[in-house]
Amino acid sequence: MKRAPLVDHFHRSIDYARIAVTSQCNLRCSYCMREDHAKHAGGVSLLTKQEIDSIIKVLAALGLTKVRFTGGEPLLRRDIAELVRAAKNTTGIKTVSLTTNGLLLDRFLPALIDAGLDAINFSIDTLDHERYKAITRRNEYVRARENLDMLLKSSAIAVKLNVVVMRDINSDELQSFVDLTRDYPITVRFLELQPFDDNQIWRTGRFFSAEKIREMLQQCYPGLQPLTGQSTQYFSYTLSEHKGSVAIIPAFTRNFCSQCNRIRVTSNGTIISCLYEKEGLQLLPLLRGNASDDAIADLFRFAVSQKPEDGKHAGRNSSRTSMSEIGG
Ligand code: SAM
Ligand code: SF4
């Protein structure tokens, strides 16, 4: 049943849901999770496939057209391809994408493509074995790199790389990533570090600004051609003779609240209306209490009505400890 679309008090239309399908992860990126993260996460409150399907159905009826599955690490869910297929088959949903560290991609890629997945964001912050181990606290570089290469060669799906740039950790690797865009039609996205990390790497002087990234890229590539980017891509470039493009995401230094079109659902069924909000609204009791689709839709409407005009400066900021709670 089609319902009135989701528009908030500041005339922003909400058409995009990020759904964390697990909070567990097979890496422990130092800017994201504590080593003992697992004991805080998971359990019976993890949304089931049926519950995720019904959330998407309600959201699509409210006019949402885009879904991104994230986590934690979404490929830790064995039913990830079925989740993608069900989302793709939901009337109204046009694109389904996934953000992943790629460690399990060799197992899932054919099934994901067959299920209709539109795009993958592959997160990898370094192309160096030892640094990968230091950043992620796991010795998994070879697997990550093999799967990245497999994905690049498959050309069956749109690919973006997510690279969180950190001073003196990987800030000297921008060129190695840009080089990948020469042969592959991918977008390399350089991300600013955000202060949502359990280890407070944030406080250790590792922040590297979008402006600084832009300066470095322009020095290395005087022929960078600006593109008109999406709202979150402050800087977006192509290079002649490169098949792909480069984007810089100033997630911290710029405020994109005025263009916000998203809502988030955590893996334990909490609706998060704003990245900077801590508490959220509990959807799980409705899902497990046989509530009607109307009641679920009403909770999403209420969540959207709570979106602050400017979350970053709304004073609700932020005791959130990890992006993995909400999927970035
Ligand atoms: N595990 C998957 C992955 O790494 O792609 C999906 C979840 S992860 C939370 C989603 C994205 O958030 C990743 O690209 C990751 O690099 C990014 N991220 C996590 N913590 C961050 C932080 N403190 N600052 C900036 N980006 C962060
Ligand atoms: Fe896991 Fe992704 Fe967080 Fe790294 S960024 S610890 S891969 S959830």
Side-chain angles (χ1 to χ4, degrees):
M1 186 181 65
K2 189 92 182 136
R3 297 180 164 85
L6 280 177
V7 179
D8 74 5
H9 291 313
F10 308 99
H11 312 293
R12 295 172 298 198
S13 295
I14 309 306
D15 65 2
Y16 177 23
R18 287 196 181 189
I19 303 180
V21 294
T22 175
S23 63
Q24 307 284 345
C25 193
N26 41 9
L27 294 179
R28 287 289 180 277
C29 301
S30 49
Y31 53 75
C32 180
M33 273 187 193
R34 284 210 308 252
E35 187 56 70
D36 65 351
H37 173 84
K39 72 181 181 214
H40 301 300
V44 288
S45 57
L46 182 71
L47 290 173
T48 63
K49 172 173 181 296
Q50 215 179 1
E51 288 162 351
I52 294 171
D53 293 350
S54 30
I55 290 170
I56 293 171
K57 197 174 86 188
V58 170
L59 287 172
L62 287 165
L64 271 80
T65 58
K66 288 184 271 182
V67 171
R68 174 175 299 277
F69 291 122
T70 175
E73 174 44 45
L75 300 188
L76 286 176
R77 273 194 78 132
R78 290 203 195 110
D79 55 2
I80 187 68
E82 288 81 59
L83 283 166
V84 169
R85 189 180 299 283
K88 265 309 262 193
N89 288 338
T90 304
T91 307
I93 297 298
K94 295 190 182 127
T95 62
V96 179
S97 55
L98 186 76
T99 304
T100 175
N101 62 32
L103 290 187
L104 298 171
L105 207 52
D106 50 329
R107 277 189 222 166
F108 286 106
L109 188 61
L112 289 168
I113 290 170
D114 186 62
L117 187 70
D118 293 289
I120 291 185
N121 281 21
F122 191 114
S123 305
I124 184 161
D125 302 323
T126 176
L127 300 175
D128 177 88
H129 194 138
E130 286 308 310
R131 287 182 180 185
Y132 189 91
K133 199 154 81 177
I135 293 171
T136 65
R137 303 208 209 83
R138 294 291 183 272
N139 191 9
E140 293 287 6
Y141 178 72
V142 173
R143 205 146 58 112
R145 187 64 213 248
E146 280 175 4
N147 284 349
L148 175 60
D149 289 342
M150 171 197 69
L151 182 63
L152 294 175
K153 283 179 193 134
S154 89
S155 72
I157 193 161
V159 177
K160 293 182 180 172
L161 298 196
N162 279 4
V163 182
V164 178
V165 183
M166 291 162 282
R167 183 180 300 282
D168 299 335
I169 293 184
N170 62 351
S171 50
D172 60 349
E173 285 192 65
L174 303 188
Q175 269 183 281
S176 315
F177 281 104
V178 175
D179 278 352
L180 292 174
T181 68
R182 189 186 308 275
D183 295 329
Y184 301 106
I186 59 169
T187 302
V188 169
R189 299 173 1 123
F190 294 117
L191 278 66
E192 280 180 345
L193 186 64
Q194 294 199 71
F196 305 126
D197 73 287
D198 256 354
N199 293 303
Q200 297 294 293
I201 295 294
W202 175 254
R203 293 181 195 277
T204 62
R206 300 304 186 181
F207 180 76
F208 200 81
S209 73
E211 192 53 44
K212 198 89 197 142
I213 298 170
R214 189 174 71 89
E215 276 169 25
M216 279 181 81
L217 288 179
Q218 282 184 328
Q219 266 169 21
C220 301
Y221 302 97
L224 273 183
Q225 293 294 325
L227 270 175
T228 315
Q230 291 171 359
S231 62
T232 49
Q233 298 189 351
Y234 179 32
F235 305 114
S236 198
Y237 301 103
T238 50
L239 273 162
S240 64
E241 290 167 29
H242 283 227
K243 293 183 178 153
S245 62
V246 180
I248 307 173
I249 317 292
F252 185 73
T253 52
R254 288 260 301 223
N255 190 336
F256 300 111
C257 294
S258 66
Q259 293 135 18
C260 184
N261 63 343
R262 338 184 141 160
I263 190 134
R264 294 175 160 86
V265 180
T266 69
S267 61
N268 62 2
T270 302
I271 303 173
I272 305 278
S273 68
C274 171
L275 182 61
Y276 296 96
E277 160 187 326
K278 178 62 183 167
E279 295 299 334
L281 291 167
Q282 298 305 318
L283 181 59
L284 200 63
L286 294 190
L287 292 167
R288 304 237 164 132
N290 291 322
S292 65
D293 286 356
D294 282 338
I296 294 171
D298 284 346
L299 193 65
F300 275 110
R301 272 191 203 295
F302 180 66
V304 165
S305 78
Q306 301 296 296
K307 273 175 89 72
E309 184 172 17
D310 175 350
K312 197 165 174 180
H313 299 110
R316 299 155 92 174
N317 192 5
S318 173
S319 43
R320 189 170 302 297
T321 48
S322 169
M323 292 283 260
S324 63
E325 290 174 48
I326 44 162

